[in-house]
Amino acid sequence: MANDDNVDHLRTVERLSNILKITPNLKSISIIQHDEPLILEEQHLALSKKTFKELGLFSRQTFLKFIKKESSPSRDSTLDELSTVLIVLNPDDNKYWNYRKRLCQKCSKNQTDKLFLELKLSSCSLKLKPKCSEPFIHARWLLTNYREIVSEQTIFSQLKMCEDSAEHYKHNYYSWIHRLWVIKTFFSTKLLEKELEWSKGWMESHISQFCGMNYRFNLLLISSAHQNPDSDVQKCKTFVNEVSYVVDLVLFYPETESLWCYLGLLLSYCSTNQIECRDNTLFRVRSIDNRFAKRFKERKF
């Protein structure tokens, strides 16, 4: 009976591995109460609770057993499938990611299909557990080691991965750290301009989340650093305009703490760097109801 169960589990591992590798744009992975072990409908994947528990245990035990064996096509294929499943079921355990790295090191660095597959698996692993550092660490390792073949499409797929994981888990600093790393590593003026526009939209639709605001502040610093060093006027204009923009948001959402924090961050930076805001900026803030103006005045900028 145990052998029959092992055969069934191996078949499920193979099927799940194939789903993860070949399904384009997998939208979600969830754990549900169901008799079927795996369900795939309209790019949404579901595992039964029983399958998730039993398959995780079986895959871990089998991986440790096979990793000790001598290399062979059968053994290597099984470990590939097991590691694919395990990085999705248990993305916090870096030994499976390290095995994926060793597989990559055996391949040529001009294999775009390998890069695409590994980045896709990193993205899939965040569907079940969006706040996890290992998938982002693996993605940065891949992008660094395969940098010569990283395309614009690859960069934007990474930004989309970050957006999805930040959307699924609030205050997902792993996602924001990775997004900022991508922008810095593959910097271009065009990419930065698009990102500044995107961050503005994100901030307005996630008005209570400071992570996105802090990210936008870092984008402004990058923009400032890449401007003409002799053009202090442009640098000042960048931050003065941002202060004015955030003041508008504060006036519209006066009870939102994250906006006050972001405004404080901007004014502190302006004060430190001797950037003067427009004369009416502070007046506009202080014109808000005294209850909120007091909160502003008590901050040390």
Side-chain angles (χ1 to χ4, degrees), residues 31-248:
I31 311 300
I32 62 173
Q33 190 69 48
H34 204 277
D35 293 334
E36 288 292 323
L38 300 174
I39 301 173
L40 179 64
E41 290 185 3
E42 298 181 351
Q43 297 173 308
H44 293 278
L45 174 64
L47 289 75
S48 71
K49 289 184 178 180
K50 180 181 178 182
T51 298
F52 177 74
K53 181 179 179 180
E54 293 182 355
L55 199 63
L57 179 60
F58 169 80
S59 298
R60 288 193 296 272
Q61 293 175 343
T62 308
F63 181 89
L64 294 175
K65 177 180 167 183
F66 271 66
I67 201 74
K68 298 174 184 178
K69 294 184 178 182
E70 291 186 11
S71 180
S72 68
S74 175
R75 175 257 194 193
D76 294 345
S77 176
T78 301
L79 283 173
D80 182 13
E81 291 173 350
L82 287 167
S83 61
T84 298
V85 168
L86 284 165
I87 62 175
V88 172
L89 299 185
N90 189 19
D92 285 314
D93 196 329
N94 64 6
K95 65 173 168 284
Y96 309 123
W97 294 104
N98 290 337
Y99 180 76
R100 301 300 306 179
K101 289 181 177 66
R102 291 198 293 274
L103 290 180
C104 293
Q105 288 170 336
K106 294 178 182 179
C107 302
S108 169
K109 287 192 175 182
N110 61 1
Q111 290 187 336
T112 55
D113 56 336
K114 184 63 176 175
L115 173 63
F116 175 80
L117 173 61
E118 290 298 316
L119 289 174
K120 182 181 180 182
L121 293 178
S122 296
S123 179
C124 286
S125 67
L126 292 165
K127 302 296 183 185
L128 198 58
K129 192 172 183 181
K131 191 175 183 181
C132 181
S133 63
E134 291 300 330
F136 294 111
I137 293 171
H138 187 64
R140 288 196 287 275
W141 182 88
L142 290 166
L143 294 169
T144 300
N145 284 271
Y146 287 82
R147 181 161 184 164
E148 293 181 359
I149 60 171
V150 172
S151 65
E152 187 177 84
Q153 181 182 359
T154 302
I155 294 170
F156 285 116
S157 71
Q158 286 295 289
L159 298 179
K160 184 64 169 65
M161 178 181 78
C162 292
E163 180 178 356
D164 289 344
S165 59
E167 191 73 66
H168 292 148
Y169 195 105
K170 293 181 180 180
H171 315 304
N172 193 341
Y173 45 85
Y174 296 129
S175 173
W176 293 107
I177 288 171
H178 183 67
R179 192 178 190 105
L180 188 62
W181 180 90
V182 170
I183 298 300
K184 288 180 175 179
T185 304
F186 301 98
F187 174 84
S188 72
T189 302
K190 179 182 176 182
L191 178 62
L192 181 60
E193 287 175 353
K194 285 186 176 181
E195 196 64 1
L196 281 167
E197 188 63 29
W198 175 88
S199 68
K200 191 174 184 179
W202 172 275
M203 194 168 78
E204 290 174 1
S205 60
H206 299 77
I207 209 70
S208 64
Q209 296 185 31
F210 181 72
C211 287
M213 299 174 191
N214 186 64
Y215 173 73
R216 180 171 171 81
F217 179 73
N218 278 283
L219 291 179
L220 294 173
L221 293 178
I222 295 172
S223 176
S224 176
H226 283 86
Q227 290 169 3
N228 188 330
D230 298 326
S231 180
D232 288 338
V233 174
Q234 184 60 39
K235 176 181 177 180
C236 292
K237 185 179 178 181
T238 297
F239 284 94
V240 168
N241 287 344
E242 186 71 4
V243 169
S244 181
Y245 164 62
V246 175
V247 167
D248 288 340

